Amino acid sequence: MRINEDTLLEGKYVVLVPYNSDHVPRYHQWMGSPELQKLTASEPLTLEQEYDMQRSWREDDDKCTFIILDKQLWADPAVQEEECMVGDINIFLTDPSDPTLAELEIMIAEPNYRGKGIGKEVIRMMICYGVMKLGVRKFEAKIGLDNKISIALFKKFKFQEQSVSEVFQEMTLELTVDEDLQKWLLGDMSFMQEREYQKIRDSRQAACPPLTQ
């Protein structure tokens, strides 16, 4: 989605940046994991197919993707952005007739970052972004039945169980954006700062010029 191609969202523990081609090799490495394939209901792709997918996610009007970065690592310009990658989060506009309905999906790919509150911060950031920038009024999340941690995480944000598919072994949860939710999530936006991605990226690179022979 072009709307976020120059958007950086900075939280307390993470930084969200648009998914670009520099991130693809690390992402491709992640998706070679059978565990992540199962959790995301994904099939393994070739590296070339992964680049095609990245371009699709950048250009398609119904997909909004951010890569999750470790803010502490990212704060050091000497650390390449790809080395700061933790996972990704997506908003999919699933119904062409209803642009206010979206599916929310998160993946913490690096095991060492799970269970540390990062997912909670990222979901809050993405819900706020979806409401404010995309006009989303109802979120869905489809989670595997054996992924108890993710189900519990979404329920902390007042997602309600709507259905269970025994065939696909997944649960669908929903969250309606009402006035109370907006007060709860959007009442204090100081937890998240929106900045220009390319400008920040250029300044990091300038702060750590490449070594010359």
Side-chain angles (χ1 to χ4, degrees), residues 22-67:
D22 291 343
H23 302 134
V24 172
R26 180 77 175 272
Y27 195 93
H28 179 64
Q29 184 181 35
W30 285 343
M31 298 316 297
S33 160
E35 177 195 14
L36 291 179
Q37 290 171 21
K38 181 180 179 181
L39 288 174
T40 59
S42 302
E43 296 292 331
L45 301 177
T46 65
L47 183 58
E48 183 178 354
Q49 289 172 327
E50 207 76 76
Y51 277 108
D52 289 340
M53 185 69 73
Q54 181 271 328
R55 284 190 290 270
S56 169
W57 287 355
R58 172 60 65 90
E59 297 171 5
D60 290 358
D61 292 333
D62 59 353
K63 303 179 182 71
C64 184
T65 299
F66 284 95
I67 293 294

Side-chain angles (χ1 to χ4, degrees), residues 36-174:
L36 291 179
Q37 290 171 21
K38 181 180 179 181
L39 288 174
T40 59
S42 302
E43 296 292 331
L45 301 177
T46 65
L47 183 58
E48 183 178 354
Q49 289 172 327
E50 207 76 76
Y51 277 108
D52 289 340
M53 185 69 73
Q54 181 271 328
R55 284 190 290 270
S56 169
W57 287 355
R58 172 60 65 90
E59 297 171 5
D60 290 358
D61 292 333
D62 59 353
K63 303 179 182 71
C64 184
T65 299
F66 284 95
I67 293 294
I68 306 166
L69 307 179
D70 177 331
K71 182 178 176 179
Q72 186 174 6
L73 287 178
W74 174 84
D76 182 354
V79 180
Q80 294 295 312
E81 190 171 281
E82 301 76 54
E83 297 176 46
C84 305
M85 292 170 61
V86 172
D88 75 332
I89 187 157
N90 308 281
I91 286 179
F92 301 109
L93 304 179
T94 54
D95 186 348
S97 66
D98 184 3
T100 69
L101 174 64
E103 182 177 343
L104 185 62
E105 180 182 273
I106 183 173
M107 177 180 73
I108 304 297
E110 295 291 338
N112 292 340
Y113 287 88
R114 297 172 190 165
K116 296 185 177 180
I118 286 177
K120 185 176 180 180
E121 180 178 50
V122 171
I123 288 176
R124 183 183 180 191
M125 293 169 73
M126 202 60 164
I127 289 176
C128 291
Y129 184 83
V131 172
M132 294 188 303
K133 299 296 185 179
L134 305 180
V136 177
R137 290 295 174 263
K138 179 180 284 187
F139 291 92
E140 289 183 342
K142 297 181 179 180
I143 306 171
L145 294 178
D146 57 351
N147 194 348
K148 306 296 184 185
I149 294 176
S150 287
I151 290 173
L153 175 60
F154 276 86
K155 285 185 174 181
K156 288 180 180 178
F157 284 92
K158 304 182 181 180
F159 277 74
Q160 302 293 319
E161 180 181 333
Q162 293 299 311
S163 62
V164 173
S165 171
E166 297 296 341
V167 174
F168 295 105
Q169 284 292 292
E170 70 179 14
M171 177 185 296
T172 298
L173 301 101
E174 289 186 357

Side-chain angles (χ1 to χ4, degrees), residues 169-194:
Q169 284 292 292
E170 70 179 14
M171 177 185 296
T172 298
L173 301 101
E174 289 186 357
L175 175 70
T176 299
V177 181
D178 57 19
E179 187 176 341
D180 289 341
L181 181 75
Q182 292 198 58
K183 288 181 179 178
W184 177 49
L185 285 178
L186 307 180
D188 181 6
M189 291 298 296
S190 61
F191 79 97
M192 179 176 77
Q193 303 296 320
E194 181 175 342

Side-chain angles (χ1 to χ4, degrees), residues 199-210:
K199 185 178 293 185
I200 300 299
R201 184 179 172 90
D202 290 345
S203 67
R204 290 185 83 247
Q205 293 175 344
C208 189

